[in-house]
Amino acid sequence: EIVLTQSPDTVSLSPGEGATLSCRASQSVSSRWVAWYQQKPGQTPRLLIYGASNRATGIPDRFSGSGSGTDFTLTISRVEPEDFAVYYCQQYAASRTFGQGTKVEMK
Amino acid sequence: QVQLVQSGAEVKKPGSSVRVSCRTSGASFNTYIVAWLRQAPGQGLEWMGKIVPIVGVGDKAHKFQGRVTFTADKSTSTAYMDLSSLTSADTAVYYCARETSQGYFDFWGQGSPVIVSS
């Protein structure tokens, strides 16, 4: 099983600041088969990024994904008030597993 | 507009079973892969498995082998997840989601809370 470890566990930001969220895999993820999701309290997860760097339909361009091999990153260029949430990475190269999540909270 | 609408909350006794339904609309059911995931209170997401309704077969995460069954009713475009031998560790919100052919999840149901308590 591919284990995904996200860091940091929590990041505190002010609106307008940038955010860099990391997702490290226990083994190489082939074909960059990594997705990112956003989940707000009491809500369903929302697909942000698939294929490591492709934005899903309707996702603002302040969200971007990058990476390959074992290291993947979600970047929020300028955090908006509606971006405070928990973010999960997921790999789908070998079965499906998720990271433990990174909480983006307001400073 | 793809939609997945799940059944409501359930409270179950340890040792019993639960069925969660997931009614789909907005796209042909024959094109779906329906995945099942769960999220324990305050925890992350866990993939349980999937079913391909058009052929009625799928896949299960090793952890749930022998305890979970996925079925689909093509006449009502509804998928079902049955989980048996419940323990308190199965207390979670259960989600169905549309799994793409690659393996990520682009549309989600609203979630079905299941509480296992004596």
Side-chain angles (χ1 to χ4, degrees):
Chain A
E1 175 178 291
I2 298 179
V3 177
L4 300 180
T5 303
Q6 293 186 239
S7 61
D9 288 334
T10 303
V11 58
S12 301
L13 298 166
S14 299
E17 290 189 302
T20 301
L21 282 57
S22 172
C23 176
R24 176 161 290 179
S26 60
Q27 60 192 83
S28 182
V29 179
S30 61
S31 304
R32 293 164 27 107
W33 283 353
V34 168
W36 290 90
Y37 302 84
Q38 175 194 69
Q39 188 177 32
K40 298 178 183 180
Q43 294 189 20
T44 294
R46 173 194 184 195
L47 175 68
L48 299 176
I49 301 286
Y50 63 93
S53 60
N54 302 290
R55 272 188 299 277
T57 302
I59 301 304
D61 60 8
R62 64 180 181 273
F63 291 94
S64 63
S66 62
S68 64
T70 60
D71 292 299
F72 297 86
T73 300
L74 176 70
T75 301
I76 311 174
S77 58
R78 296 169 308 279
V79 171
E80 298 284 339
E82 61 267 29
D83 299 336
F84 294 106
V86 178
Y87 293 83
Y88 294 97
C89 59
Q90 178 227 340
Q91 66 79 24
Y92 45 99
S95 192
R96 284 92 176 92
T97 55
F98 290 84
Q100 84 281 10
T102 291
K103 182 179 182 180
V104 176
E105 66 176 19
M106 189 178 298
K107 186 185 291 181
Chain B
Q1 173 83 0
V2 172
Q3 284 192 308
L4 297 91
V5 179
Q6 299 183 225
S7 49
E10 301 267 9
V11 179
K12 293 292 182 179
K13 299 288 189 188
S16 67
S17 299
V18 68
R19 165 170 279 202
V20 179
S21 67
C22 174
R23 179 170 49 86
T24 70
S25 62
S28 171
F29 197 50
N30 287 337
T31 66
Y32 271 78
I33 300 170
V34 178
W36 291 92
L37 307 97
R38 73 179 187 181
Q39 187 171 36
Q43 302 299 309
L45 296 160
E46 181 175 35
W47 181 79
M48 300 176 68
K50 66 183 179 185
I51 185 168
V52 183
I54 192 172
V55 292
V57 296
D59 191 15
K60 302 171 188 176
H62 181 74
K63 174 178 180 179
F64 299 100
Q65 296 274 356
R67 207 161 66 89
V68 71
T69 303
F70 305 126
T71 55
D73 183 342
K74 288 183 280 187
S75 68
T76 59
S77 300
T78 302
Y80 299 91
M81 186 278 296
D82 291 285
L83 185 63
S84 63
S85 303
L86 293 170
T87 71
S88 58
D90 294 314
T91 293
V93 176
Y94 288 77
Y95 293 102
C96 63
R98 188 175 78 167
E99 181 172 317
T100 68
S101 57
Q102 291 185 333
Y104 57 90
F105 312 105
D106 57 355
F107 292 93
W108 295 66
Q110 82 277 18
S112 299
V114 174
I115 297 171
V116 182
S117 174
S118 55

